[in-house]
Amino acid sequence: MAFDIDEQYDKIYRYCYLKVKHKETAEDITQETFLRYLEHPQYSNIDKTLQLLYTIAGNLCTDEFRKHKTDELTDTEASSENIEENVLSDIELKNALTKLSEDDRELILLKYINEVPVNVMAKLYNISRFALNRRINRVLGMLHEYMGKEELK
Amino acid sequence: MTDKEKKKLLEAFDIPDPDRKKQFSDEYRKRRPEKIKKPIFPLIMRTVASAAMLALVIGAITRIPKPDTDMFNDDNIIETTTAATSIEASAQTTADNSAAVTTTAMGKDKSKTTTASKAVSTDPAKTNDDNSTVTAEADDPENNEPEPTEHTQKPARTTKTPSVRITTTRESQHHLTTTKPAPQPQTTTVTTSSKASAGEVESGATGRDMTVDIDVKYDVRDEILTVEALSSGNGVGRDGNDDKNGSDIPVDEKIRDMFSDSNAVVLAKVNKIVYTSIDGEAYTAENITITEVFKGSLTPDDRITLFVSGGYIPGEEYIKHHRYVLLPDAENYSIYDGGGCAGREYVGDTYLFFIKNSSSSFPHGSFELISHGDEAVFRQEDDSYVSMHDDSLSLEISSLY
């Protein structure tokens, strides 16, 4: 099954940006992902297609991270590591998101924004679907709690 | 999640829009193959596998023994060799006969039919004595009593009968192809094995042992930290009572719901407690012996393994799955995770459990409580049983009958 390049480009780009936190690098990796995908046999199953795309993207991000491990990122965009220096909006959700770990943010992005199927995510993380659901529920619980604490302030 | 909520979430991530999307999309569409070809190799494999299965089925059907024909009334047989039918012995068959019939033409106008038959019996006491050689002579007015040939005198087992497939139990010692063991009282096939170890409370050994092996076991270290202590130190709040259910539902209705949700409701004694983890979450595996059954197919004296959320997990294991937690010298600590449980079970004590077959995350054949935490575990208090998690949830044992 062919996917919609416009839709998947955005999703893969978001996934890469969350990992590398650099706009240009994330776009480069996104495009590289799709080009590498073309080199593989084309799957008719959309789940396998998505799994392959995210696997390629994840591996490219890891390679990029290793390449620039000792370098400081000269990102033009706000880095999540400089939380205190960011101009924080009043949105409680944004504040709550920044308190999550990178892995947990990635989970939320994949599940609710990119709408990646649970079975594809489970294969990406190499855990069972039940474990994945438990993790998602836990992260949602934490988000809920952070947002609840913000409301009390 | 609605589109509005999704948009709000996306904005919260603060991800800038890509610049080169349109340009790349156009280029990609040119490069993408027009038609996605289905890979051929899997199709070939599927076809071959289907053909092989079909061949197996046809082969099995053709091997079904056909009804014996009456040879003695047929005068026209000159020479016939019939291979003995193969017999598939099983615990259910009681007796079967295979006949090897060899008829040789002894000479002009003479024929002799020898039928060697053997009975395959399920009785181990029966041996080759059951084999009998029946010699019959064809109707022939000029019969001159020819000598039987060696060929017709051969005992049944040399008639090249395909070896009988014997279903043996572990007790079987027989090797004869013509007999198979008598049906022994079959033990229930168990998919798990139990290992009684030191420290386990001995219980009646008459029931089924359905406990499972635990691959990962943790000892409790001297230094213990709770998850709450870790979380408060790291700015991450976590409520141990995250499974507190609303108390609006009447107790009777709640108990009924719990009964209905359970695969089994049992009174059981805890024999052994092992601390382990499933997918990075602390769990306690409890080997319990059933003393009374109120629902389900378990029987008294059965021994099962029950997984309860919460327990002790080594510090280094905990931080592996909780990266936001900072814990120097983690290997010196055990982390106690309540897992939504308000109390703890003790070895030697008896509790009322509402349980269900565990999900695929847990070892096959084990059980888990019907809900997270220990609401579904009841301890005895005087004449009634009270939930470990909620004192207001209590029941009389008689109500379960």
Side-chain angles (χ1 to χ4, degrees):
Chain A
M1 179 194 285
F3 53 81
D4 180 8
I5 179 64
D6 291 324
E7 183 188 344
Q8 293 304 326
Y9 188 97
D10 284 332
K11 292 181 177 177
I12 298 295
Y13 166 75
R14 284 179 214 136
Y15 176 72
C16 295
Y17 181 85
L18 205 66
K19 283 186 172 287
V20 300
K21 300 177 190 59
H22 189 256
K23 182 177 168 182
E24 277 72 32
T25 308
E27 275 213 85
D28 290 339
I29 293 175
T30 303
Q31 294 178 9
E32 183 65 27
T33 299
F34 286 103
L35 292 175
R36 290 204 184 187
Y37 169 76
L38 285 176
E39 295 169 9
H40 284 78
Q42 308 291 290
Y43 289 111
S44 55
N45 185 322
I46 186 63
D47 285 352
K48 284 193 176 163
T49 303
L50 290 176
Q51 190 184 336
L52 179 60
L53 282 172
Y54 281 101
T55 304
I56 295 172
N59 290 341
L60 287 172
C61 290
T62 306
D63 293 343
E64 187 65 29
F65 182 72
R66 283 187 191 139
K67 215 190 297 178
H68 296 285
K69 200 174 177 181
T70 54
D71 300 346
E72 285 188 10
L73 282 174
T74 55
D75 47 335
T76 55
E77 304 296 335
S79 163
S80 62
E81 295 173 6
N82 301 323
I83 294 170
E84 295 81 5
E85 296 173 20
N86 285 351
V87 176
L88 296 177
S89 71
D90 293 330
I91 304 174
E92 297 160 356
L93 184 56
K94 184 173 179 177
N95 289 338
L97 276 175
T98 53
K99 287 183 183 171
L100 291 177
S101 68
E102 285 187 26
D103 290 342
D104 291 343
R105 276 204 297 273
E106 181 183 305
L107 210 67
I108 296 293
L109 178 88
L110 287 176
K111 169 81 177 142
Y112 294 107
I113 297 180
N114 285 8
E115 292 177 320
V116 178
V118 170
N119 54 332
V120 173
M121 283 178 66
K123 282 182 186 156
L124 284 173
Y125 286 103
N126 202 24
I127 54 176
S128 69
R129 284 164 49 201
F130 299 102
L132 181 69
N133 281 328
R134 279 200 292 270
R135 275 179 73 172
I136 291 171
N137 287 337
R138 195 186 70 224
V139 172
L140 286 177
M142 283 160 62
L143 262 182
H144 182 74
E145 195 169 320
Y146 298 152
M147 289 174 67
K149 281 185 177 174
E150 287 292 326
E151 281 172 357
L152 288 172
K153 284 185 183 175
Chain B
M1 191 175 270
T2 63
D3 288 340
K4 199 177 171 186
E5 285 167 343
K6 220 185 293 181
K7 194 180 172 191
K8 189 178 174 186
L9 187 61
L10 182 56
E11 283 170 5
F13 270 95
D14 205 16
I15 298 174
D17 291 332
D19 293 330
R20 295 172 266 156
K21 175 182 166 184
K22 189 179 181 319
Q23 189 183 352
F24 180 79
S25 299
D26 294 338
E27 186 64 32
Y28 181 82
R29 282 195 187 93
K30 288 177 195 168
R31 291 199 195 193
R32 191 187 64 193
E34 283 304 317
K35 205 175 175 183
I36 294 174
K37 298 171 195 169
K38 252 189 170 178
I40 294 176
F41 185 68
L43 275 174
I44 294 174
M45 289 300 295
R46 271 202 288 264
T47 311
V48 168
S50 307
M53 281 301 297
L54 200 61
L56 269 172
V57 168
I58 292 171
I61 291 171
T62 53
R63 280 173 169 267
I64 293 172
K66 295 171 188 171
D68 290 337
T69 54
D70 188 359
M71 305 295 289
F72 295 100
N73 290 331
D74 192 342
D75 296 329
N76 295 321
I77 294 172
I78 304 298
E79 182 171 339
T80 307
T81 304
T82 307
T85 58
S86 66
I87 301 162
E88 189 173 352
S90 69
Q92 282 73 38
T93 58
T94 53
D96 202 350
N97 287 318
S98 74
V101 177
T102 307
T103 308
T104 48
M106 302 305 299
K108 204 175 176 182
D109 297 329
K110 293 176 201 169
S111 67
K112 184 165 182 181
T113 305
T114 304
T115 304
S117 66
K118 65 181 182 187
V120 176
S121 167
T122 60
D123 188 346
K126 290 191 180 179
T127 60
N128 282 339
D129 294 336
D130 284 333
N131 295 335
S132 59
T133 302
V134 175
T135 305
E137 295 178 353
D139 290 333
D140 190 335
E142 294 183 41
N143 186 10
N144 291 326
E145 299 283 341
E147 292 293 326
T149 64
E150 284 183 11
H151 186 64
T152 60
Q153 278 186 328
K154 282 184 181 173
R157 64 170 176 273
T158 63
T159 55
K160 296 185 184 176
T161 306
S163 62
V164 174
R165 200 183 317 160
I166 298 173
T167 303
T168 58
T169 63
R170 275 178 284 174
E171 294 82 14
S172 169
Q173 299 296 325
H174 295 279
H175 298 288
L176 297 172
T177 59
T178 58
T179 63
K180 65 179 178 65
Q184 301 287 336
Q186 292 291 336
T187 58
T188 305
T189 303
V190 290
T191 56
T192 60
S193 61
S194 71
K195 292 197 168 91
S197 60
E200 184 173 348
V201 173
E202 286 299 318
S203 59
T206 55
R208 297 172 291 178
D209 188 351
M210 296 153 68
T211 56
V212 301
D213 283 335
I214 309 296
D215 294 329
V216 176
K217 297 177 191 174
Y218 300 131
D219 293 324
V220 181
R221 293 169 177 158
D222 294 333
E223 303 277 349
I224 297 172
L225 288 172
T226 62
V227 163
E228 286 73 25
L230 276 179
S231 302
S232 59
N234 288 283
V236 175
R238 187 163 169 202
D239 188 0
N241 293 326
D242 48 345
D243 286 318
K244 257 274 192 305
N245 291 320
S247 53
D248 301 335
I249 305 170
V251 169
D252 288 347
E253 193 177 324
K254 188 131 193 196
I255 299 289
R256 265 200 302 277
D257 288 343
M258 289 172 69
F259 196 91
S260 165
D261 291 342
S262 305
N263 292 131
V265 179
V266 297
L267 210 56
K269 183 177 173 184
V270 178
N271 305 127
K272 184 179 175 184
I273 286 178
V274 171
Y275 300 111
T276 183
S277 65
I278 305 288
D279 296 329
E281 300 288 334
Y283 273 87
T284 303
E286 301 177 6
N287 283 358
I288 60 177
T289 300
I290 311 297
T291 54
E292 200 168 346
V293 179
F294 303 100
K295 182 184 177 185
S297 57
L298 294 168
T299 53
D301 291 331
D302 283 346
R303 297 183 290 289
I304 61 171
T305 302
L306 175 68
F307 283 87
V308 181
S309 58
Y312 293 89
I313 186 170
E316 64 274 17
E317 280 297 315
Y318 184 82
I319 61 173
K320 214 186 280 183
H321 298 279
H322 299 83
R323 294 187 189 167
Y324 58 86
V325 171
L326 289 171
L327 182 62
D329 301 326
E331 55 277 357
N332 294 338
Y333 297 94
S334 281
I335 308 300
Y336 175 68
D337 184 351
C341 294
R344 287 168 57 185
E345 291 79 60
Y346 294 94
V347 172
D349 286 355
T350 298
Y351 303 88
L352 179 68
F353 296 99
F354 289 76
I355 61 178
K356 61 181 180 181
N357 297 320
S358 58
S359 63
S360 59
S361 301
F362 298 92
H364 179 69
S366 63
F367 293 80
E368 57 175 324
L369 296 173
I370 56 168
S371 56
H372 193 67
D374 57 358
E375 189 184 52
V377 182
F378 285 66
R379 64 177 187 277
Q380 188 173 9
E381 271 192 14
D382 300 325
D383 295 330
S384 60
Y385 281 81
V386 178
S387 170
M388 299 276 283
H389 193 79
D390 183 359
D391 287 343
S392 65
L393 198 58
S394 68
L395 57 92
E396 305 284 334
I397 248 332
S398 55
S399 65
L400 293 175
Y401 289 112

